[in-house]
Amino acid sequence: MKIIEYFTSEKKEHWLDEIKKCDWEAGQYLHQLLSENSLKRMVGETALVPMLVDGDKLIAFCTFAPLDDIQPTDMSPWIGFVYTFPDYRGHRYVGMLLDYAESIATVMNREYIYISPVIQDCTKNMDMSFIKWTRISKVRNHVYIVKPLQWRDRTKIDAMKVVLNGRLRL
């Protein structure tokens, strides 16, 4: 298994077809946004869609973006659209994607990552550190603020900087 990023993948159509197999309404909405090339307009031009894959099989995906549907806010970055396909649930695979997002946030020197509360059930067993609830709007009562784990191995951070190649402006 490995993590790849949708926008930098050479097989976008394949991964789009895989995302379409998702049985979750929000996953179908992400598929629509990606199909219409409108995700980045909605959540920011530097949005990423990390995907955990095993060969040509999509295991799990999420988004990592400067914005979420909660606007206006100065909170950033956001993890959203977190999904694991049913056959792979219970193995904490989505935790690998969340670790990936945390590593990017760490490279960006971000102290926090923000996650909408609907994600909480997906992440409660991922050893994520939910440090605070905060009320940010009348539409959505609360948001989770997650403190990213600090990487112990600086070479991973340096390698991530090279891999992302200047896309650290979230």
Side-chain angles (χ1 to χ4, degrees):
M1 284 189 225
K2 66 180 180 177
I3 295 174
I4 63 172
E5 201 282 316
Y6 172 80
F7 291 109
T8 59
S9 170
E10 295 178 4
K11 296 171 33 176
K12 284 187 189 69
E13 286 302 316
H14 170 76
W15 298 119
L16 199 55
D17 290 343
E18 289 291 302
I19 291 170
K20 188 175 178 81
K21 296 176 185 175
C22 170
D23 62 357
W24 178 43
E25 187 176 324
Q28 294 302 312
Y29 181 53
L30 175 62
H31 176 270
Q32 177 186 340
L33 292 172
L34 292 170
S35 297
E36 297 170 351
N37 289 318
S38 58
L39 178 70
K40 290 187 175 198
R41 266 189 310 250
M42 185 174 141
V43 297
E45 290 300 316
T46 57
L48 303 173
V49 182
M51 302 178 298
L52 180 64
V53 302
D54 188 6
D56 282 342
K57 195 95 169 144
L58 182 58
I59 308 299
F61 59 84
C62 69
T63 58
F64 184 76
L67 303 173
D68 190 61
D69 61 342
I70 301 171
Q71 293 302 319
T73 181
D74 59 351
M75 294 186 280
S76 183
W78 289 84
I79 295 173
F81 293 99
V82 178
Y83 182 82
T84 302
F85 282 89
D87 290 348
Y88 302 98
R89 293 181 185 157
H91 301 283
R92 299 186 177 200
Y93 290 137
V94 77
M96 295 169 68
L97 292 174
L98 299 178
D99 286 345
Y100 178 85
E102 286 180 310
S103 69
I104 295 169
T106 300
V107 169
M108 296 167 53
N109 294 317
R110 297 299 175 124
E111 188 174 359
Y112 301 106
I113 298 174
Y114 302 91
I115 303 177
S116 299
V118 72
I119 308 292
Q120 195 269 340
D121 288 337
C122 300
T123 58
K124 65 184 175 187
N125 294 321
M126 299 300 161
D127 300 323
M128 300 282 293
S129 174
F130 293 105
I131 62 170
K132 181 169 132 181
W133 272 107
T134 187
R135 185 174 183 88
I136 62 168
S137 76
K138 292 180 182 174
V139 175
R140 172 123 5 120
N141 290 335
H142 298 90
V143 64
Y144 290 99
I145 301 174
V146 181
K147 187 167 184 73
L149 304 173
Q150 295 297 314
W151 281 84
R152 292 191 176 98
D153 184 351
R154 293 295 307 177
T155 59
K156 287 183 181 179
I157 291 175
D158 294 338
M160 184 66 71
K161 285 180 182 176
V162 171
V163 169
L164 292 174
N165 208 10
R167 294 186 62 164
L168 301 176
R169 297 180 308 271
L170 289 176

